[in-house]
Amino acid sequence: MRYIPNTDADCKAMLQAIGVRSVEELFADIPAAVRLKRPLKVPPALSESEVARQVRALADKNANADRYSMFLGAGCYNHFSPSILNHLVLRGEFLTPYTPYQPEVAQGTLQALYEYQTLICLLTGMDVSNASMYEGASATAEAALMAHRITGRSEVVMARAVHPEYRAVTRTYASQLGISFREVAFTEAGVTDIGQVRKMLSERVSCLVVQSPNFLGVIEDLTPLAEAAHAVGALLVVAVAEPVSLGIVKPPGECGADIVTGEGAGLGTGLNYGGPAVGFFATREKFMRHMPGRLVGETEDREGRTGYVLTLATREQHIRREKATSNICTSESLIANMSAMYMVTMGPQGLRDVALLNLRKAAYAKDRLAKVRGFSLRFTGPTFNEFVLRTKKKPGEILKGLLKRQIIGGLDLGRFYPELKDCLLVCVTEQNSRPEIDALAKALGGGR
Amino acid sequence: MSGTGNTIGTRGLVLNEPLIFEQGSPGRVGYSLPPVDVPEKKAEVLIPKRLLRDGIPGMPEVSEVDVIRHYTRISQWNYCVDLGFFPLGSCTMKYNPRINEDMARLPGFAKAHPYQPEELSQGALQLMWELEQYLAEVAGMDRVTLQPSAGAHGELTGLMMIRAYHTSRGNPRSKVLIPDSAHGTNPATSALCGYRVVPVKEGPRGIVEAKAVAEVMDNEVAAIMVTSPNTLGLFEDQIVEVSKIVHAKGGQVYCDGANLNSVMGISRPGDCGVDVIQINLHKTFSQPHGGGGPGAGPVALKKHLAPFMPVPTVEKKGNRLTLDFKRPKSIGKVRAFAASFGVLVRSYTYIRSMGSAGLRRASEVAVLNANYIQSQLKGTYHLPYDRHCMHECVFTDALQARHDIHTVDIAKRLIDYGFHPPTIYFPLIVKAALMIEPTETESKETLDQFIAAMKRIAQEAEENPEVLRQAPHNPKVTRMNETKAAREPKLRWRPTS
């Protein structure tokens, strides 16, 4: 086997040095009753070329954004990834180290993560960021737990316009600790109903959780939501599932958010059928020690040279065990660094330009599709690169029809919102050309 | 003081590289975007001005060349498996095959959307379904959820399922039994599930004894979390009795499967009475660790827990594979979308490359390699549990401490010799532990070089201890001031203006 260097002769020499006759003897501690007495029922080994052929055959059975016009977003966005990102993350020095427990030989990962933390702060307008969480939904769940720890309160108010899977994961996490939930409806504008928020907030509430742009594509006005939360001593948690929006949309940190979480995969790390992705997690300086996850900090070595280490470990499971702020250990360093590479490559102008491109293309599509007979805009609020169309025909049938023209047309919202079962969520990114958008309009019956 | 003679560790040219924020110049760009082919409406026409940002002050402005140089330079400050031996016990990594990277990047996987229709995702679903069968077979379990994103996430998912199981029977129960040698994630996970941790002491042989479990087991114990093989590198040889005791009072047996890499095809946790186990794909199944993830922690379980699996599960209906969300007793979701799918592709490719016999061979050689190191270093270093080990061996600094040389000094000196240090000061039940795990992907020559370095360090401890206290000498930086980092936390760069 090419991944196992030791030959039979090597093994024999080692057995001799150990003083045993066979490998079997080394397993003597395993009681006979629990030894497996047959080979594993796993197929026999394949050569490199055979395995490549078989795995490729599986890949070829899937639709992908190269072969289809992709108008599906819903928390997983089809953005362009500059070639250099892939080349850099394939460098063995980034790909194959472990968590940087020995800083003297991990300064590359550590400096990259320190820069990642800074970039997330700049993008979200927050003070401090951790070195990554698994993905957007569980990061949001951890934010709710953090708010519970900070405030000592056990009620979460969450906008119904938050990604349904983020809501589901937050419920899963929080329900273990007896935290209760209430959901705030959205208005005809497609934004969280501030009136209802004010009614639901009380001194029992640990946090208000909203998403912007929300799952319906609409940009929330965060400032009044923050004021309402703060008025009762609750925290505002803002989830951002589409980080590219922050190239032009006012960052939550400038609107009073206390914790900003989200999905970083939009920053050039790819669709990957949903993962691996990367959760980001940023907060205010005063809450720094309540954060979950790894943190990289600057320090110096014995000779006064600047360097970086994992720090504030007294929050973490390997030190604090059951009193830790989270159980998180391995998270998503490589994907976090990949998203950092994206932000650095794009720079302030590129982040703005790509956001603007998304905004304009989506605005064009929105106009175009809303004029097609049988379709109209469901909500009136401002959107970024995603919007909701109300349809006369069943959304599921419409989507099925589009597949024949190699178009993945969006999401049937009835899957998550019974009240929106006559609605489609359509996403347009910089990857969708005008002819593609026109083809979509035409396929829906829009002529031209 | 840095000379280490004829060893693989040496000095070499590495370049200094400032933070990216200290580089670039206004107007320099590293990107290109397609032209705007739709009406160029101003942002404030589409979005109210109060919801727009002015800019992103502080974001660097650099060229593509700058980006490549920056990351290439800093990458060279990292030690990694591609460079050499990384015997970080319990965490360790085997070689990360490159074919796996190519497979994960096939457009049919890398550019597939998680919400695209099932009929257009049959390849992804089939891969997940097959991987579930393989992992279930290796672990000796009935079902596997592939959702969890890391080992600790798997633990959490597993314990949530156990809690849901007990709740469905009328009482979630209040306690979890955890041996002192457990990974820190076990107690942290228990707390996240609202359970109180009851510690269980290991016996003198370094394993959890049935009698100790019997003493603390009662009807309020939801589960025992046992790591087998454990963090001392020992097989929990009373696990069958332990499972019987726990089951007799209605408890569940959770196995931390971090060390499953040493028993593939040899013994299956499911046959030992285990009800739930997480499998660290980034250890046993060759997913690269990336300096702290992505990993994946699928959870294998017995069928009585299947109703509580997170949604969706992958089900086969005739020739068609489908995602099943209609599971009324499910704990719900633990992440968005189906899984860290790209990680699954790598581990699937690995399993198909290794095959049934190859997986067993990997475990055998991993255990052989660990025992070889143990046998060669015994006597030079103190071995607290002197018996054959499984995947890893645990030494201490007891013989060196008399020269005032400690585990950390030994670890740091190894860096000069060209090796990553072992896991140190863990497990907590061993004073000043050095936990060494080689895996099967290291050759005898590499192990011999490592053994020689360890012996030489022991000699240096006697003859020239100062060289150890000042180690490492060869890397770009020496020991870091971790106290300062924690006392005056500086977690980001800030614009000066």
PDB file of all heavy atoms in Angstrom, chain A residues 29 34 38 40-41 61 86 102 105 165 172 246 250 299 353, chain B residues 31 51 53 79 105 115 126 137 267 333 356 387 412 481:
ATOM      1  N   ASP A  29      -4.351  -7.327  24.488  1.00  0.00           N
ATOM      2  CA  ASP A  29      -5.281  -6.736  25.466  1.00  0.00           C
ATOM      3  C   ASP A  29      -6.732  -6.782  25.008  1.00  0.00           C
ATOM      4  O   ASP A  29      -7.646  -6.578  25.804  1.00  0.00           O
ATOM      5  CB  ASP A  29      -4.919  -5.267  25.704  1.00  0.00           C
ATOM      6  CG  ASP A  29      -3.774  -5.127  26.689  1.00  0.00           C
ATOM      7  OD1 ASP A  29      -3.420  -6.132  27.327  1.00  0.00           O
ATOM      8  OD2 ASP A  29      -3.244  -3.996  26.803  1.00  0.00           O
ATOM      9  N   VAL A  34     -14.355  -9.884  21.607  1.00  0.00           N
ATOM     10  CA  VAL A  34     -14.661  -8.689  20.823  1.00  0.00           C
ATOM     11  C   VAL A  34     -13.654  -8.474  19.695  1.00  0.00           C
ATOM     12  O   VAL A  34     -13.508  -7.377  19.175  1.00  0.00           O
ATOM     13  CB  VAL A  34     -14.788  -7.414  21.695  1.00  0.00           C
ATOM     14  CG1 VAL A  34     -15.984  -7.530  22.623  1.00  0.00           C
ATOM     15  CG2 VAL A  34     -13.512  -7.149  22.493  1.00  0.00           C
ATOM     16  N   ARG A  38     -13.547 -11.827  11.010  1.00  0.00           N
ATOM     17  CA  ARG A  38     -13.714 -11.867   9.548  1.00  0.00           C
ATOM     18  C   ARG A  38     -13.206 -10.549   8.976  1.00  0.00           C
ATOM     19  O   ARG A  38     -13.045  -9.578   9.718  1.00  0.00           O
ATOM     20  CB  ARG A  38     -15.200 -12.040   9.211  1.00  0.00           C
ATOM     21  CG  ARG A  38     -16.060 -10.929   9.827  1.00  0.00           C
ATOM     22  CD  ARG A  38     -17.431 -10.857   9.208  1.00  0.00           C
ATOM     23  NE  ARG A  38     -18.268  -9.863   9.855  1.00  0.00           N
ATOM     24  CZ  ARG A  38     -18.249  -8.560   9.608  1.00  0.00           C
ATOM     25  NH1 ARG A  38     -17.390  -8.060   8.726  1.00  0.00           N
ATOM     26  NH2 ARG A  38     -19.052  -7.725  10.226  1.00  0.00           N
ATOM     27  N   LEU A  40     -13.323  -6.936   7.192  1.00  0.00           N
ATOM     28  CA  LEU A  40     -14.334  -5.876   7.111  1.00  0.00           C
ATOM     29  C   LEU A  40     -15.061  -5.958   5.779  1.00  0.00           C
ATOM     30  O   LEU A  40     -14.443  -6.197   4.740  1.00  0.00           O
ATOM     31  CB  LEU A  40     -13.659  -4.501   7.209  1.00  0.00           C
ATOM     32  CG  LEU A  40     -13.186  -4.038   8.572  1.00  0.00           C
ATOM     33  CD1 LEU A  40     -12.394  -2.735   8.413  1.00  0.00           C
ATOM     34  CD2 LEU A  40     -14.349  -3.838   9.532  1.00  0.00           C
ATOM     35  N   LYS A  41     -16.377  -5.753   5.848  1.00  0.00           N
ATOM     36  CA  LYS A  41     -17.139  -5.747   4.590  1.00  0.00           C
ATOM     37  C   LYS A  41     -17.045  -4.363   3.941  1.00  0.00           C
ATOM     38  O   LYS A  41     -17.978  -3.564   3.976  1.00  0.00           O
ATOM     39  CB  LYS A  41     -18.595  -6.124   4.856  1.00  0.00           C
ATOM     40  CG  LYS A  41     -18.760  -7.584   5.217  1.00  0.00           C
ATOM     41  CD  LYS A  41     -20.200  -7.893   5.580  1.00  0.00           C
ATOM     42  CE  LYS A  41     -20.284  -9.231   6.282  1.00  0.00           C
ATOM     43  NZ  LYS A  41     -21.420  -9.268   7.228  1.00  0.00           N
ATOM     44  N   LYS A  61     -22.731  12.520 -11.821  1.00  0.00           N
ATOM     45  CA  LYS A  61     -24.190  12.373 -11.670  1.00  0.00           C
ATOM     46  C   LYS A  61     -24.845  13.624 -11.093  1.00  0.00           C
ATOM     47  O   LYS A  61     -26.069  13.722 -11.047  1.00  0.00           O
ATOM     48  CB  LYS A  61     -24.499  11.204 -10.727  1.00  0.00           C
ATOM     49  CG  LYS A  61     -24.257   9.841 -11.322  1.00  0.00           C
ATOM     50  CD  LYS A  61     -24.776   8.824 -10.319  1.00  0.00           C
ATOM     51  CE  LYS A  61     -24.509   7.403 -10.778  1.00  0.00           C
ATOM     52  NZ  LYS A  61     -24.946   6.453  -9.740  1.00  0.00           N
ATOM     53  N   ASN A  86      -7.139  28.509  -4.418  1.00  0.00           N
ATOM     54  CA  ASN A  86      -7.001  27.064  -4.426  1.00  0.00           C
ATOM     55  C   ASN A  86      -5.535  26.645  -4.355  1.00  0.00           C
ATOM     56  O   ASN A  86      -5.171  25.699  -3.655  1.00  0.00           O
ATOM     57  CB  ASN A  86      -7.643  26.547  -5.702  1.00  0.00           C
ATOM     58  CG  ASN A  86      -8.273  25.204  -5.492  1.00  0.00           C
ATOM     59  OD1 ASN A  86      -8.313  24.693  -4.371  1.00  0.00           O
ATOM     60  ND2 ASN A  86      -8.732  24.615  -6.546  1.00  0.00           N
ATOM     61  N   GLN A 102       2.050  24.436  18.864  1.00  0.00           N
ATOM     62  CA  GLN A 102       3.471  24.760  19.084  1.00  0.00           C
ATOM     63  C   GLN A 102       3.780  25.996  18.243  1.00  0.00           C
ATOM     64  O   GLN A 102       4.129  25.891  17.067  1.00  0.00           O
ATOM     65  CB  GLN A 102       4.352  23.576  18.663  1.00  0.00           C
ATOM     66  CG  GLN A 102       4.115  22.307  19.467  1.00  0.00           C
ATOM     67  CD  GLN A 102       4.620  22.412  20.905  1.00  0.00           C
ATOM     68  OE1 GLN A 102       5.462  23.258  21.221  1.00  0.00           O
ATOM     69  NE2 GLN A 102       4.107  21.562  21.777  1.00  0.00           N
ATOM     70  N   VAL A 105       6.629  26.698  15.525  1.00  0.00           N
ATOM     71  CA  VAL A 105       6.617  26.080  14.190  1.00  0.00           C
ATOM     72  C   VAL A 105       5.234  26.169  13.558  1.00  0.00           C
ATOM     73  O   VAL A 105       4.829  25.315  12.772  1.00  0.00           O
ATOM     74  CB  VAL A 105       7.100  24.610  14.240  1.00  0.00           C
ATOM     75  CG1 VAL A 105       8.619  24.567  14.354  1.00  0.00           C
ATOM     76  CG2 VAL A 105       6.430  23.831  15.351  1.00  0.00           C
ATOM     77  N   GLU A 165     -32.588  26.937   8.574  1.00  0.00           N
ATOM     78  CA  GLU A 165     -31.656  25.966   9.155  1.00  0.00           C
ATOM     79  C   GLU A 165     -30.858  26.580  10.306  1.00  0.00           C
ATOM     80  O   GLU A 165     -30.477  25.872  11.234  1.00  0.00           O
ATOM     81  CB  GLU A 165     -30.721  25.404   8.074  1.00  0.00           C
ATOM     82  CG  GLU A 165     -31.515  24.721   6.948  1.00  0.00           C
ATOM     83  CD  GLU A 165     -30.802  23.518   6.367  1.00  0.00           C
ATOM     84  OE1 GLU A 165     -30.381  22.650   7.139  1.00  0.00           O
ATOM     85  OE2 GLU A 165     -30.671  23.460   5.129  1.00  0.00           O
ATOM     86  N   THR A 172     -31.897  23.417  18.371  1.00  0.00           N
ATOM     87  CA  THR A 172     -31.303  22.148  18.801  1.00  0.00           C
ATOM     88  C   THR A 172     -30.317  22.398  19.940  1.00  0.00           C
ATOM     89  O   THR A 172     -30.361  21.729  20.975  1.00  0.00           O
ATOM     90  CB  THR A 172     -30.551  21.464  17.636  1.00  0.00           C
ATOM     91  OG1 THR A 172     -31.411  21.362  16.524  1.00  0.00           O
ATOM     92  CG2 THR A 172     -30.057  20.092  18.030  1.00  0.00           C
ATOM     93  N   LEU A 246     -21.594  42.609   2.579  1.00  0.00           N
ATOM     94  CA  LEU A 246     -20.924  43.598   3.427  1.00  0.00           C
ATOM     95  C   LEU A 246     -19.936  44.466   2.653  1.00  0.00           C
ATOM     96  O   LEU A 246     -19.363  45.397   3.211  1.00  0.00           O
ATOM     97  CB  LEU A 246     -20.239  42.902   4.610  1.00  0.00           C
ATOM     98  CG  LEU A 246     -21.233  42.278   5.602  1.00  0.00           C
ATOM     99  CD1 LEU A 246     -20.499  41.481   6.676  1.00  0.00           C
ATOM    100  CD2 LEU A 246     -22.111  43.346   6.264  1.00  0.00           C
ATOM    101  N   LYS A 250     -24.182  48.483   5.156  1.00  0.00           N
ATOM    102  CA  LYS A 250     -23.615  48.968   6.416  1.00  0.00           C
ATOM    103  C   LYS A 250     -23.374  47.788   7.349  1.00  0.00           C
ATOM    104  O   LYS A 250     -24.250  46.949   7.557  1.00  0.00           O
ATOM    105  CB  LYS A 250     -24.579  49.975   7.070  1.00  0.00           C
ATOM    106  CG  LYS A 250     -24.006  50.604   8.330  1.00  0.00           C
ATOM    107  CD  LYS A 250     -24.858  51.752   8.831  1.00  0.00           C
ATOM    108  CE  LYS A 250     -24.470  53.045   8.120  1.00  0.00           C
ATOM    109  NZ  LYS A 250     -25.026  54.237   8.761  1.00  0.00           N
ATOM    110  N   THR A 299       1.955  38.469  20.460  1.00  0.00           N
ATOM    111  CA  THR A 299       2.845  38.556  21.619  1.00  0.00           C
ATOM    112  C   THR A 299       4.276  38.642  21.090  1.00  0.00           C
ATOM    113  O   THR A 299       4.474  39.004  19.932  1.00  0.00           O
ATOM    114  CB  THR A 299       2.642  37.368  22.577  1.00  0.00           C
ATOM    115  OG1 THR A 299       3.456  37.564  23.729  1.00  0.00           O
ATOM    116  CG2 THR A 299       3.011  36.036  21.924  1.00  0.00           C
ATOM    117  N   ASP A 353     -16.844  46.405  -5.440  1.00  0.00           N
ATOM    118  CA  ASP A 353     -17.235  46.168  -6.830  1.00  0.00           C
ATOM    119  C   ASP A 353     -18.034  44.877  -6.986  1.00  0.00           C
ATOM    120  O   ASP A 353     -19.021  44.828  -7.725  1.00  0.00           O
ATOM    121  CB  ASP A 353     -15.993  46.116  -7.729  1.00  0.00           C
ATOM    122  CG  ASP A 353     -15.416  47.500  -7.991  1.00  0.00           C
ATOM    123  OD1 ASP A 353     -16.056  48.489  -7.565  1.00  0.00           O
ATOM    124  OD2 ASP A 353     -14.327  47.588  -8.594  1.00  0.00           O
TER     125      ASP A 353
ATOM    126  N   TYR B  31      -7.630  41.702  -8.032  1.00  0.00           N
ATOM    127  CA  TYR B  31      -8.817  40.997  -8.546  1.00  0.00           C
ATOM    128  C   TYR B  31      -9.142  41.466  -9.952  1.00  0.00           C
ATOM    129  O   TYR B  31      -8.658  42.506 -10.401  1.00  0.00           O
ATOM    130  CB  TYR B  31     -10.019  41.268  -7.637  1.00  0.00           C
ATOM    131  CG  TYR B  31     -10.521  42.709  -7.725  1.00  0.00           C
ATOM    132  CD1 TYR B  31     -11.597  43.034  -8.555  1.00  0.00           C
ATOM    133  CD2 TYR B  31      -9.901  43.722  -7.014  1.00  0.00           C
ATOM    134  CE1 TYR B  31     -12.037  44.356  -8.659  1.00  0.00           C
ATOM    135  CE2 TYR B  31     -10.340  45.041  -7.112  1.00  0.00           C
ATOM    136  CZ  TYR B  31     -11.404  45.347  -7.930  1.00  0.00           C
ATOM    137  OH  TYR B  31     -11.827  46.638  -8.031  1.00  0.00           O
ATOM    138  N   LEU B  51     -28.599  52.516   4.969  1.00  0.00           N
ATOM    139  CA  LEU B  51     -28.243  51.108   5.102  1.00  0.00           C
ATOM    140  C   LEU B  51     -26.952  50.765   4.363  1.00  0.00           C
ATOM    141  O   LEU B  51     -26.540  49.615   4.328  1.00  0.00           O
ATOM    142  CB  LEU B  51     -29.383  50.221   4.578  1.00  0.00           C
ATOM    143  CG  LEU B  51     -30.755  50.402   5.230  1.00  0.00           C
ATOM    144  CD1 LEU B  51     -31.778  49.459   4.610  1.00  0.00           C
ATOM    145  CD2 LEU B  51     -30.681  50.169   6.745  1.00  0.00           C
ATOM    146  N   ARG B  53     -22.723  51.294   3.521  1.00  0.00           N
ATOM    147  CA  ARG B  53     -21.477  51.647   4.193  1.00  0.00           C
ATOM    148  C   ARG B  53     -20.648  52.550   3.278  1.00  0.00           C
ATOM    149  O   ARG B  53     -20.819  52.546   2.061  1.00  0.00           O
ATOM    150  CB  ARG B  53     -20.707  50.408   4.605  1.00  0.00           C
ATOM    151  CG  ARG B  53     -19.848  49.755   3.520  1.00  0.00           C
ATOM    152  CD  ARG B  53     -19.281  48.424   3.967  1.00  0.00           C
ATOM    153  NE  ARG B  53     -18.361  48.542   5.085  1.00  0.00           N
ATOM    154  CZ  ARG B  53     -17.943  47.496   5.809  1.00  0.00           C
ATOM    155  NH1 ARG B  53     -18.359  46.277   5.536  1.00  0.00           N
ATOM    156  NH2 ARG B  53     -17.122  47.666   6.819  1.00  0.00           N
ATOM    157  N   TYR B  79       5.363  24.006  10.419  1.00  0.00           N
ATOM    158  CA  TYR B  79       5.704  22.592  10.314  1.00  0.00           C
ATOM    159  C   TYR B  79       4.431  21.861   9.900  1.00  0.00           C
ATOM    160  O   TYR B  79       3.327  22.295  10.251  1.00  0.00           O
ATOM    161  CB  TYR B  79       6.204  22.062  11.663  1.00  0.00           C
ATOM    162  CG  TYR B  79       6.868  20.710  11.533  1.00  0.00           C
ATOM    163  CD1 TYR B  79       8.231  20.612  11.280  1.00  0.00           C
ATOM    164  CD2 TYR B  79       6.131  19.537  11.638  1.00  0.00           C
ATOM    165  CE1 TYR B  79       8.851  19.375  11.141  1.00  0.00           C
ATOM    166  CE2 TYR B  79       6.744  18.295  11.496  1.00  0.00           C
ATOM    167  CZ  TYR B  79       8.103  18.223  11.252  1.00  0.00           C
ATOM    168  OH  TYR B  79       8.700  16.997  11.101  1.00  0.00           O
ATOM    169  N   ARG B 105     -12.342  18.331  -5.448  1.00  0.00           N
ATOM    170  CA  ARG B 105     -12.448  19.522  -6.298  1.00  0.00           C
ATOM    171  C   ARG B 105     -13.128  19.254  -7.633  1.00  0.00           C
ATOM    172  O   ARG B 105     -13.213  20.145  -8.474  1.00  0.00           O
ATOM    173  CB  ARG B 105     -11.053  20.121  -6.517  1.00  0.00           C
ATOM    174  CG  ARG B 105     -10.561  20.883  -5.293  1.00  0.00           C
ATOM    175  CD  ARG B 105      -9.107  21.261  -5.379  1.00  0.00           C
ATOM    176  NE  ARG B 105      -8.704  22.082  -4.249  1.00  0.00           N
ATOM    177  CZ  ARG B 105      -8.435  21.611  -3.030  1.00  0.00           C
ATOM    178  NH1 ARG B 105      -8.525  20.316  -2.790  1.00  0.00           N
ATOM    179  NH2 ARG B 105      -8.094  22.434  -2.048  1.00  0.00           N
ATOM    180  N   TYR B 115     -29.008  22.680  -2.066  1.00  0.00           N
ATOM    181  CA  TYR B 115     -30.472  22.660  -2.264  1.00  0.00           C
ATOM    182  C   TYR B 115     -30.861  22.316  -3.702  1.00  0.00           C
ATOM    183  O   TYR B 115     -32.023  22.443  -4.068  1.00  0.00           O
ATOM    184  CB  TYR B 115     -31.084  24.016  -1.897  1.00  0.00           C
ATOM    185  CG  TYR B 115     -31.124  24.331  -0.413  1.00  0.00           C
ATOM    186  CD1 TYR B 115     -31.235  25.652   0.025  1.00  0.00           C
ATOM    187  CD2 TYR B 115     -31.090  23.331   0.555  1.00  0.00           C
ATOM    188  CE1 TYR B 115     -31.292  25.970   1.373  1.00  0.00           C
ATOM    189  CE2 TYR B 115     -31.123  23.641   1.907  1.00  0.00           C
ATOM    190  CZ  TYR B 115     -31.225  24.958   2.310  1.00  0.00           C
ATOM    191  OH  TYR B 115     -31.285  25.275   3.648  1.00  0.00           O
ATOM    192  N   GLN B 126     -25.229   9.188  -3.193  1.00  0.00           N
ATOM    193  CA  GLN B 126     -24.709   7.819  -3.215  1.00  0.00           C
ATOM    194  C   GLN B 126     -23.379   7.736  -2.455  1.00  0.00           C
ATOM    195  O   GLN B 126     -23.142   6.789  -1.699  1.00  0.00           O
ATOM    196  CB  GLN B 126     -24.510   7.346  -4.655  1.00  0.00           C
ATOM    197  CG  GLN B 126     -24.201   5.844  -4.711  1.00  0.00           C
ATOM    198  CD  GLN B 126     -23.997   5.350  -6.135  1.00  0.00           C
ATOM    199  OE1 GLN B 126     -24.530   5.917  -7.087  1.00  0.00           O
ATOM    200  NE2 GLN B 126     -23.217   4.299  -6.273  1.00  0.00           N
ATOM    201  N   GLU B 137     -19.782  -0.256   9.243  1.00  0.00           N
ATOM    202  CA  GLU B 137     -19.111  -1.562   9.272  1.00  0.00           C
ATOM    203  C   GLU B 137     -17.826  -1.498  10.117  1.00  0.00           C
ATOM    204  O   GLU B 137     -17.581  -2.363  10.945  1.00  0.00           O
ATOM    205  CB  GLU B 137     -18.804  -1.999   7.832  1.00  0.00           C
ATOM    206  CG  GLU B 137     -17.839  -3.152   7.689  1.00  0.00           C
ATOM    207  CD  GLU B 137     -18.362  -4.502   8.195  1.00  0.00           C
ATOM    208  OE1 GLU B 137     -19.533  -4.564   8.617  1.00  0.00           O
ATOM    209  OE2 GLU B 137     -17.583  -5.477   8.181  1.00  0.00           O
ATOM    210  N   SER B 267     -11.104  -4.880  15.950  1.00  0.00           N
ATOM    211  CA  SER B 267     -12.160  -4.955  16.957  1.00  0.00           C
ATOM    212  C   SER B 267     -13.096  -3.783  16.698  1.00  0.00           C
ATOM    213  O   SER B 267     -12.647  -2.705  16.304  1.00  0.00           O
ATOM    214  CB  SER B 267     -11.558  -4.861  18.357  1.00  0.00           C
ATOM    215  OG  SER B 267     -12.595  -4.831  19.319  1.00  0.00           O
ATOM    216  N   LYS B 333     -31.555  19.735  13.732  1.00  0.00           N
ATOM    217  CA  LYS B 333     -30.362  19.913  12.899  1.00  0.00           C
ATOM    218  C   LYS B 333     -29.197  20.374  13.758  1.00  0.00           C
ATOM    219  O   LYS B 333     -29.385  21.074  14.753  1.00  0.00           O
ATOM    220  CB  LYS B 333     -30.629  20.956  11.800  1.00  0.00           C
ATOM    221  CG  LYS B 333     -31.453  20.392  10.649  1.00  0.00           C
ATOM    222  CD  LYS B 333     -31.343  21.233   9.388  1.00  0.00           C
ATOM    223  CE  LYS B 333     -29.978  21.220   8.771  1.00  0.00           C
ATOM    224  NZ  LYS B 333     -29.641  19.997   8.042  1.00  0.00           N
ATOM    225  N   SER B 356     -10.653  -3.074   2.304  1.00  0.00           N
ATOM    226  CA  SER B 356     -10.853  -3.784   3.566  1.00  0.00           C
ATOM    227  C   SER B 356      -9.523  -4.180   4.204  1.00  0.00           C
ATOM    228  O   SER B 356      -9.254  -3.878   5.378  1.00  0.00           O
ATOM    229  CB  SER B 356     -11.718  -5.020   3.289  1.00  0.00           C
ATOM    230  OG  SER B 356     -11.748  -5.861   4.401  1.00  0.00           O
ATOM    231  N   ARG B 387       3.241  -1.574  29.462  1.00  0.00           N
ATOM    232  CA  ARG B 387       2.630  -2.719  28.783  1.00  0.00           C
ATOM    233  C   ARG B 387       2.582  -2.368  27.306  1.00  0.00           C
ATOM    234  O   ARG B 387       2.841  -1.230  26.935  1.00  0.00           O
ATOM    235  CB  ARG B 387       1.198  -2.985  29.271  1.00  0.00           C
ATOM    236  CG  ARG B 387       0.690  -1.987  30.265  1.00  0.00           C
ATOM    237  CD  ARG B 387      -0.700  -2.211  30.792  1.00  0.00           C
ATOM    238  NE  ARG B 387      -1.666  -2.763  29.860  1.00  0.00           N
ATOM    239  CZ  ARG B 387      -2.979  -2.562  29.976  1.00  0.00           C
ATOM    240  NH1 ARG B 387      -3.453  -1.808  30.941  1.00  0.00           N
ATOM    241  NH2 ARG B 387      -3.803  -3.119  29.134  1.00  0.00           N
ATOM    242  N   LYS B 412      10.237  21.200  23.001  1.00  0.00           N
ATOM    243  CA  LYS B 412      10.759  22.315  22.203  1.00  0.00           C
ATOM    244  C   LYS B 412      12.077  21.929  21.528  1.00  0.00           C
ATOM    245  O   LYS B 412      12.372  22.369  20.416  1.00  0.00           O
ATOM    246  CB  LYS B 412      10.965  23.558  23.065  1.00  0.00           C
ATOM    247  CG  LYS B 412       9.688  24.122  23.700  1.00  0.00           C
ATOM    248  CD  LYS B 412       8.664  24.599  22.684  1.00  0.00           C
ATOM    249  CE  LYS B 412       7.474  25.253  23.369  1.00  0.00           C
ATOM    250  NZ  LYS B 412       6.332  25.459  22.457  1.00  0.00           N
ATOM    251  N   ASN B 481       5.928  34.437  24.540  1.00  0.00           N
ATOM    252  CA  ASN B 481       5.429  34.881  25.835  1.00  0.00           C
ATOM    253  C   ASN B 481       3.900  34.736  25.861  1.00  0.00           C
ATOM    254  O   ASN B 481       3.168  35.631  25.461  1.00  0.00           O
ATOM    255  CB  ASN B 481       5.859  36.329  26.060  1.00  0.00           C
ATOM    256  CG  ASN B 481       5.543  36.797  27.467  1.00  0.00           C
ATOM    257  OD1 ASN B 481       4.698  36.198  28.153  1.00  0.00           O
ATOM    258  ND2 ASN B 481       6.209  37.850  27.892  1.00  0.00           N
TER     259      ASN B 481
END
